Amino acid sequence: DGHGNIQEMKLEVVGTWGFLENWKVFEERFWTEVIPEASGGKITANAKPYTELGLKGYEVMAGVRKGAYDVVHALTSYSSQASPALEGIDLSGIIQDWDTYRQAVEAYRPIIEREVREKYNAQIVNIYPFPTQQLWCNLGDRSITNVSLADLAGKKIRTYSRTQGDFVEGLGASSITLALAEVVPALEKGVADCGVTGTMPAYNGKWSQVVTHNVRVRLGFAATFTAINLDTWESMNADTQNLILTEAKKFEDEIWEFEQTLDQAGMDCNAQGPCDRGQPGNMTPIEPDAEDQALLKKIAAETVVPRWAERCGSACAAEWNATVGKLIGITAPTDGS
Amino acid sequence: MLDRIQSGLEGTARGAAIIGGAAMCAAAFMVTMDVISRKVFGVTMRGSDEITGYIFAASTTWAYAYAMLTRSNIRIDVAYVALNTKARALLDLLALGLLTLYIFLLARSAWSVVEESWTFNYTAQTPLATPLWLPQSFWFAGLAFMLLCLAFLSLRCLWCLAKADWQGIGALAGVKSLDQEIEEETHV
Amino acid sequence: MQTLILIILVGLVVAAVPIAAVLGILGLALDEVFTNGRRALMMGDFIWEQSIEYILVAVPMFILLGEIILRAGIATRMYTAVAKWLSWLPGGLMHANVGSCAVFAATSGSSVATVATVGTVAYPEIEKRQYNEPLFLGTLAAGGTLGILIPPSIALILYGLLTDTSVPELYLAGVIPGAMLALFFMLVVIFACFMRPGWGGSPVETSWRDRLEALPDLLPPLVLFAVVVGSIYTGLATPTEAASIGVVCAIGIAAWFRALSVRMLIEAFESTMCSTAMVMIIILAAVFLNFVLGFMGVTQAIIDGIDALGWTPMQTMMVIIVFYLLLGMFMETLSMMLTTIPVVFPIVAHMGFDPVWFGIMITVLMEAALITPPIGLNLYVVHGTRTRGGKFNDVSYGALPFLIAMLALIGFLLTFPDLATWLPNQVY
Ligand code: NA
Ligand code: NA
């Protein structure tokens, strides 16, 4: 049969949030159905989402590097404490459309692969996004429609990554940190005025109960990769590796399509619908106009990118300029540290 | 001699616990200032939550040794109290042995965390960009100190075991009697 | 496999091995035997991430708040003031015991702090006014349990952390059941003194003028409660920030009463860190064990097992309640909560119960555990305040009627879940 050279193995896998589509539709199915089927039952897996294991974030990558498990699906932002270069693919607010973002990932992929291999002892097999991260604000009155991005200066905005913090400060707002479980109460009570989260997570988390406006600026795509511990990877023969790479590529192509649809569905469900998941959230959507786009560009070029370049160093900034920077027309300063 | 070393360890542990408590208290003032400045002036001090988290982690591991040396570890003594001195001493040895083993494994694993943060120069993904080895060293040192105390206590208990001094083991590592516990709980 | 885990766990616990070591070693051993031991490689990274968790910072802050207030010398004034308002009821000062515990509970996150404070002040009154000693002691032991149900509460913070439930919602949910339970306790006293009028002690003489003049003495605990809980609900602060503000306020109150000294602070710091260490070492081991169990799929196996039994949600809940009542007789409350919630909560959630509601239910069960012999922390503490000595069983018997009141509250919570969920639903 065609599975003759496939090695028998049982992999231990940690996935992303157990209650989100990326796990439910893709990651879990990949390890419990797709791979076992494609390998004729030779490769099986014990796959668990990280939420079910009580993991919180950065230690997810320590686990795959140390071989506590074989495979991890992890956000690039979880790995940036060892490699600021990885943050470069998801800088807040610099890219506003899906096609450009996918091109940026393709351009930056060799750098991501190298960094993860060197710093995390792991092989990347695919890279994919989540629904986009947008701004969700409690402005008190849903009937207000003339909101511009500049109006958010001075607001308290809950962010969960450093680059989002940079964006918010570039906007002239203040960035606050809160545990996810506290965000909705905090938005209700005005501890925070706005929060950053994905379009579908905002709907699933019932943010519409406390949020009046969805400011549709894209502050990130939550780039995620599948990485296999290098010792595990190198213990596989070429056929086994190829099988995983082939299936991972199919996964990748499907999920990029899926996320765009999901992203739109998330925005619709939070606004007036149509929504096939339940009641629409009736938030007032704010589409960025030309003025807002100009402000986004200004924040990206003057705050987000330079601050990141400072963390990352000049060699790293130069690599970014030759890839993502060239694509979107922003140059990171390379005279820093 | 052994008693003097033990009281030295106890003094250090108590001092560390007090410093840790004072640091938490200072953190409470810092967080309060932050809340007030956020409400009144609309500005946040960046990272008061992060610093508080580090103080919390480090002061807690340093207090472990104090809790252990004052025999405040939570142990279920339903069966224990019904036994004679010798049987209790054997359970105390088991308890001490397993606690030492656990703290050894934990401290070893914690060391690898500090070592990697140092080697690869990890920084926190927060506005402060704290070099992680710094708070982690304080955190690890607390665990290491507890391990030192446990090792010392284990040796003393083994010495008692060699002399068949069951009461000695109870005095070093036994569950606190009801009277002792009540005396402490109600000390105002 | 589950049976083996359970046997090892129970064996080590009964052998008086420290709970933290039991959980930690069990986690490592299970992983070694069943899932090739690789999780140990990242134990340090895992524990570090948990150790800097900002929500958990509320635990030492609330303990410190309680320790400072305990030493600020406001307990006697507060008790006397509450007594002036409540002692006209049949049972006299026993209502003051419950009432002061409820008021003090509203500032302190700790049950032990509550019962030690009020107990020490109230105890001399037994002899002075000829109360029935067991019942009087029972009001103290039971009243002291209110501290973990009426917010702020450390138990609810830990529950929120382990189950990803919002702490402010849990706090709101505890208000009505907490007030009901205080009322039930007072009804128990009234009923007992109605049946046996001799138990109620000699009456306390007071006037409206006395009552009004005593009001300012109730202010410190109420101010603290208003600051801590108020700052959460007005959106000023998160629970951790509110606890920190509470510490600053408590120091202010201690200074106001001229009770602030270096020595007093040092004692408070020492005691706070000792309690914090005891709690944290168990929490960290429990979350690591939970991580290993998650990989092994134990929780899922238990859920499947219960599904296979075909129990209705209500039957399952009854079994869980009986399990906690029995376990609560023997186990210290905090370790009981930390060791069982990771396994029990997924079952409860799977059965469709509201997480906030279950948080309140389990807290009432913890309260019951505090006053059931042989291991009941509040019974010990009350017994410890008896300077004239006496049989430990006096306290146990005296607490029994209040245990029945708790069972009644459990019944009400089962029948009318809104008692817990209505208030948070109004706000969130
Ligand atoms: Na309380
Ligand atoms: Na009990």
Side-chain angles (χ1 to χ4, degrees):
Chain A
D1 58 36
H3 310 300
N5 288 325
I6 304 296
Q7 280 164 277
E8 286 205 27
M9 52 174 59
K10 181 167 185 192
L11 299 172
E12 275 167 342
V13 182
V14 171
T16 57
W17 291 267
F19 46 87
L20 297 182
E21 279 81 358
N22 282 21
W23 167 259
K24 289 194 289 194
V25 184
F26 288 92
E27 296 160 7
E28 184 183 32
R29 203 169 55 87
F30 187 72
W31 295 107
T32 56
E33 290 173 28
V34 176
I35 288 288
E37 260 170 46
S39 65
K42 287 190 165 173
I43 305 175
T44 57
N46 173 20
K48 297 279 183 334
Y50 89 93
T51 43
E52 202 173 288
L53 300 170
L55 294 168
K56 302 162 83 67
Y58 299 115
E59 81 281 28
V60 167
M61 286 306 292
V64 78
R65 183 180 40 173
K66 293 178 172 175
Y69 30 81
D70 303 290
V71 186
V72 73
H73 298 274
L75 272 68
T76 51
S77 54
Y78 289 164
S79 9
S80 47
Q81 70 183 22
S83 167
L86 289 173
E87 222 186 329
I89 194 51
D90 213 0
L91 294 177
S92 195
I94 66 166
I95 295 175
Q96 295 296 319
D97 72 285
W98 282 95
D99 289 341
T100 311
Y101 191 62
R102 184 143 199 206
Q103 288 167 32
V105 168
E106 284 314 314
Y108 207 61
R109 184 186 293 259
I111 296 160
I112 299 175
E113 287 183 351
R114 183 197 66 213
E115 289 292 313
V116 169
R117 180 176 273 266
E118 283 175 5
K119 307 273 173 57
Y120 288 102
N121 185 39
Q123 172 69 42
I124 296 256
V125 297
N126 61 18
I127 304 174
Y128 54 92
F130 269 83
T132 57
Q133 308 298 300
Q134 303 191 358
L135 270 172
W136 312 85
C137 296
N138 179 2
L139 301 180
D141 185 354
R142 285 172 206 256
S143 65
I144 305 170
T145 51
N146 59 334
V147 180
S148 75
L149 198 53
D151 294 340
L152 301 180
K155 299 281 185 196
K156 290 166 285 183
I157 303 182
R158 184 260 179 180
T159 59
Y160 60 85
S161 73
R162 196 142 56 142
T163 179
Q164 285 171 9
D166 292 341
F167 178 88
V168 162
E169 281 164 20
L171 188 59
S174 57
S175 153
I176 62 174
T177 26
L178 289 169
L180 186 61
E182 308 297 351
V183 179
V184 169
L187 284 167
E188 157 94 38
K189 290 292 159 195
V191 173
D193 301 304
C194 306
V196 178
T197 194
T199 50
M200 208 33 117
Y203 181 75
N204 292 334
K206 301 194 171 65
W207 284 36
S208 62
Q209 288 178 354
V210 297
V211 157
T212 54
H213 289 71
N214 169 208
V215 182
R216 293 179 170 176
V217 290
R218 295 190 154 123
L219 301 188
F221 293 76
T224 305
F225 50 68
T226 308
I228 302 182
N229 173 280
L230 217 51
D231 303 318
T232 305
W233 180 249
E234 282 166 359
S235 75
M236 295 177 183
N237 63 25
D239 284 356
T240 312
Q241 287 184 350
N242 282 333
L243 178 133
I244 290 179
L245 284 174
T246 311
E247 296 302 328
K249 178 76 180 127
K250 283 190 219 159
F251 169 134
E252 186 176 88
D253 290 338
E254 282 170 34
I255 199 169
W256 275 92
E257 289 300 315
F258 178 87
E259 293 303 324
Q260 294 184 47
T261 320
L262 190 67
D263 197 36
Q264 191 56 52
M267 288 193 278
D268 292 343
C269 279
N270 280 304
Q272 269 65 43
C275 182
D276 58 6
R277 294 156 186 264
Q279 289 297 313
N282 282 317
M283 289 181 202
T284 309
I286 304 294
E287 291 290 350
D289 57 18
E291 196 184 317
D292 293 334
Q293 295 289 1
L295 180 58
L296 281 169
K297 193 96 183 168
K298 181 169 180 287
I299 296 170
E302 290 177 10
T303 312
V304 176
V305 173
R307 284 196 186 178
W308 167 75
E310 204 182 309
R311 296 197 280 279
C312 198
S314 52
C316 164
E319 279 186 330
W320 188 87
N321 284 338
T323 52
V324 180
K326 195 170 108 193
L327 184 73
I328 61 172
I330 292 180
T331 308
T334 49
D335 51 353
S337 50
Chain B
M1 178 62 191
L2 288 177
D3 283 332
R4 274 182 54 195
I5 297 177
Q6 177 142 1
S7 66
L9 290 174
E10 277 169 9
T12 312
R14 179 165 178 268
I18 291 168
I19 293 170
M24 286 308 296
C25 189
F29 276 89
M30 180 176 67
V31 171
T32 304
M33 298 273 287
D34 197 14
V35 172
I36 292 171
S37 81
R38 186 173 71 208
K39 186 72 192 172
V40 179
F41 310 109
V43 282
T44 12
M45 278 186 281
R46 302 205 308 186
S48 73
D49 53 346
E50 185 187 343
I51 294 170
T52 306
Y54 297 148
I55 292 175
F56 174 52
S59 63
T60 308
T61 52
W62 275 95
Y64 286 165
Y66 184 61
M68 193 266 300
L69 289 170
T70 53
R71 293 185 283 140
S72 308
N73 267 313
I74 297 177
R75 298 171 64 184
I76 305 301
D77 59 357
V78 188
Y80 183 91
V81 290
L83 299 172
N84 63 27
T85 314
K86 184 177 169 183
R88 285 186 190 184
L90 292 174
L91 289 187
D92 291 336
L93 284 174
L94 175 71
L96 188 60
L98 286 178
L99 187 61
T100 310
L101 175 64
Y102 172 57
I103 297 298
F104 168 71
L105 294 169
L106 184 55
R108 192 181 62 171
S109 196
W111 171 246
S112 82
V113 176
V114 187
E115 195 194 12
E116 281 172 6
S117 295
W118 173 259
T119 314
F120 299 107
N121 195 20
Y122 290 170
T123 53
Q125 293 310 291
T126 54
L128 290 184
T130 316
L132 285 171
W133 64 266
L134 191 67
Q136 284 168 351
S137 316
F138 284 99
W139 169 73
F140 166 76
L143 283 171
F145 178 66
M146 181 172 187
L147 190 60
L148 177 73
C149 294
L150 280 166
F152 175 76
L153 213 54
S154 303
L155 287 177
R156 281 198 85 171
C157 284
L158 287 175
W159 181 240
C160 288
L161 179 69
K163 294 188 300 180
D165 175 8
W166 310 118
Q167 257 147 10
I169 295 177
L172 287 168
V175 175
K176 254 191 295 195
S177 73
L178 198 59
D179 293 337
Q180 289 168 319
E181 199 161 333
I182 288 165
E183 200 258 315
E184 283 174 24
E185 292 291 4
T186 53
H187 172 74
V188 178
Chain C
M1 183 170 77
Q2 287 93 305
T3 326
L4 181 69
I5 297 172
L6 204 65
I7 290 170
I8 299 175
L9 181 74
V10 172
L12 291 177
V13 167
V14 172
V17 173
I19 299 289
V22 175
L23 300 178
I25 299 271
L26 189 69
L28 290 165
L30 287 174
D31 191 40
E32 191 66 41
V33 174
F34 295 105
T35 38
N36 60 39
R38 287 153 61 192
R39 250 56 63 191
L41 297 170
M42 62 174 296
M43 179 163 69
D45 300 271
F46 185 88
I47 302 263
W48 166 255
E49 280 298 322
Q50 302 285 338
S51 299
I52 55 172
E53 168 70 54
Y54 196 53
I55 297 177
L56 273 179
V57 174
V59 173
M61 292 303 185
F62 279 129
I63 296 177
L64 182 56
L65 186 168
E67 291 286 345
I68 291 170
I69 277 301
L70 197 66
R71 291 170 167 80
I74 60 169
T76 314
R77 293 155 172 270
M78 182 189 77
Y79 183 78
T80 317
V82 175
K84 283 179 180 151
W85 281 88
L86 292 179
S87 54
W88 57 274
L89 289 161
L93 288 177
M94 288 191 275
H95 297 288
N97 295 348
V98 175
S100 313
C101 283
V103 173
F104 198 77
T107 57
S108 151
S110 148
S111 176
V112 172
T114 308
V115 76
T117 309
V118 179
T120 311
V121 179
Y123 179 73
E125 302 287 340
I126 300 177
E127 199 178 36
K128 205 157 112 194
R129 300 189 186 272
Q130 296 301 305
Y131 283 99
N132 174 275
E133 185 157 349
L135 189 67
F136 192 93
L137 297 173
T139 53
L140 290 169
T145 67
L146 294 170
I148 61 172
L149 185 57
I150 296 176
S153 151
I154 292 165
L156 289 176
I157 293 175
L158 296 180
Y159 176 85
L161 179 90
L162 289 171
T163 63
D164 259 329
T165 310
S166 155
V167 175
E169 283 191 49
L170 285 166
Y171 276 7
L172 272 187
V175 170
I176 291 177
M180 273 179 76
L181 194 56
L183 191 69
F184 285 5
F185 288 169
M186 291 166 78
L187 290 175
V188 167
V189 172
I190 290 173
F191 181 74
C193 293
F194 183 72
M195 301 301 285
R196 293 268 193 286
W199 286 5
S202 59
V204 180
E205 297 299 328
T206 180
S207 66
W208 277 104
R209 191 195 160 100
D210 282 351
R211 284 180 187 145
L212 292 174
E213 278 175 0
L215 275 181
D217 290 337
L218 284 175
L219 274 180
L222 294 180
V223 165
L224 260 180
F225 179 74
V227 166
V228 171
V229 177
S231 64
I232 296 174
Y233 294 109
T234 54
L236 186 65
T238 63
T240 304
E241 291 169 344
S244 307
I245 297 171
V247 168
V248 173
C249 258
I251 290 179
I253 287 171
W256 175 263
F257 286 98
R258 303 189 178 282
L260 199 62
S261 69
V262 173
R263 183 162 164 256
M264 175 263 209
L265 281 177
I266 283 179
E267 280 174 9
F269 293 160
E270 196 182 317
S271 185
T272 299
M273 289 320 293
C274 191
S275 309
T276 305
M278 275 161 35
V279 176
M280 279 304 294
I281 195 171
I282 297 178
I283 293 178
L284 296 175
V287 291
F288 182 71
L289 174 63
N290 195 26
F291 171 54
V292 171
L293 292 179
F295 245 110
M296 292 171 66
V298 170
T299 314
Q300 193 56 48
I302 293 175
I303 289 176
D304 294 344
I306 287 181
D307 278 348
L309 289 172
W311 291 345
T312 64
M314 199 42 95
Q315 284 167 331
T316 313
M317 186 52 67
M318 294 307 289
V319 172
I320 289 173
I321 288 170
V322 172
F323 161 79
Y324 273 115
L325 286 171
L326 291 177
L327 198 64
M329 292 171 71
F330 301 101
M331 220 169 152
E332 192 276 328
T333 46
L334 217 49
S335 43
M336 174 162 90
M337 192 159 148
L338 292 170
T339 47
T340 55
I341 283 183
V343 179
V344 172
F345 179 74
I347 300 171
V348 171
H350 173 73
M351 289 281 176
F353 289 100
D354 183 286
V356 172
W357 174 85
F358 185 64
I360 299 309
M361 176 59 92
I362 202 164
T363 306
V364 177
L365 288 164
M366 296 300 127
E367 290 187 280
L370 285 168
I371 58 165
T372 49
I375 310 288
L377 191 54
N378 281 16
L379 302 178
Y380 292 163
V381 180
V382 169
H383 185 66
T385 58
R386 299 168 78 185
T387 44
R388 285 179 288 112
K391 288 197 307 256
F392 180 67
N393 276 351
D394 294 346
V395 196
S396 306
Y397 285 130
L400 202 60
F402 303 98
L403 182 65
I404 294 170
M406 288 177 184
L407 294 178
L409 180 65
I410 290 171
F412 273 102
L413 281 171
L414 282 172
T415 327
F416 309 105
D418 279 353
L419 288 174
T421 52
W422 179 79
L423 196 56
N425 285 343
Q426 295 309 299
V427 177
Y428 294 112

